[in-house]
Amino acid sequence: MNKGKLYGVGVGPGDPELLTAKAIRILGECDVIAVPQSENGGRTALEIASCYIKDKPVRAFDMPMTHDRAARNASHDAAAGAICALLDEGKNVAFLTLGDPTVYSTGWYVHKRVVSRGYDAELIPGVPSFCAAAARLGRALCEDGEMLHIIPASHGKEREGLALPGSKVLMKAGRGVLRVREELRESGQLENAALVERCGMEGERLVYDMDELREPSGYFSIILVKEERR
């Protein structure tokens, strides 16, 4: 029996209409849909793409949101092993991931493990959250010769990143958003910053004045800092 193929499918930031035509086609053609599942049972990527999946079988894999590398590796190894077993049965599998599979993606860690075992796999791009957030704010990410920096704010690297020239994207800033706000203030960039929470999802919020924040925002939060143009 021929082995199946794994597709790492980016489902975009939250709005089902932002899935690409190719992503929708792949979801319709695959035999099994694989999805990450949070500690509380949430399956956000599945919720976004559910209208294109219909009655296909779904396999959920626990993916803890933690900085514990051993715990993350164990979850990625388990998912890759289970998916390889499905591929051995000749099934094509679509692993759903938020945004794009090449940008801080859970799906990427599973993808590279499956590829390292000799299986066929393909990445299907999705709309990145920061592109959707910029569109919702009605602003460009970068213009002319501006540089654009993507900074993982949940890893405490915002001070280093904010010192760089150009515009910035601060990913997953939710729990540390008040700390990040003060870093922005100290660096003189607060007035050029805006936050988008749950872009394209129910409960979406746009914050143009960061001083309005009184408490940490949710996990699906992103801060855009536009370079001041002269």
Side-chain angles (χ1 to χ4, degrees), residues 68-91:
D68 184 336
R69 188 177 297 274
R72 294 204 315 268
N73 285 339
S75 65
H76 299 150
D77 288 341
I83 288 171
C84 287
L86 292 170
L87 301 179
D88 285 337
E89 296 174 7
K91 299 184 186 301

Side-chain angles (χ1 to χ4, degrees), residues 153-154 170-178 180 195 197 215-223:
S154 60
L170 293 141
M171 302 281 290
K172 301 177 181 178
R175 293 179 182 175
V177 70
L178 301 182
V180 173
L195 177 143
E197 182 178 4
E215 57 187 27
S217 56
Y219 174 75
F220 298 110
S221 295
I222 187 167
I223 298 172

Side-chain angles (χ1 to χ4, degrees), residues 82-157:
I83 288 171
C84 287
L86 292 170
L87 301 179
D88 285 337
E89 296 174 7
K91 299 184 186 301
N92 291 325
V93 179
F95 189 99
L96 308 189
T97 189
L98 292 171
D100 179 271
T102 67
V103 181
Y104 300 125
S105 162
T106 298
W108 167 249
Y109 300 107
V110 175
H111 173 90
K112 66 180 182 179
R113 283 167 167 76
V114 171
V115 170
S116 71
R117 299 183 190 187
Y119 292 86
D120 192 12
E122 180 180 347
L123 297 173
I124 310 300
V127 175
S129 60
F130 51 87
C131 291
R136 289 292 294 120
L137 291 169
R139 60 170 63 177
L141 280 169
C142 42
E143 304 170 65
D144 297 330
E146 290 176 358
M147 290 184 281
L148 177 65
H149 306 283
I150 303 174
I151 303 162
S154 60
H155 289 257
K157 296 182 178 180

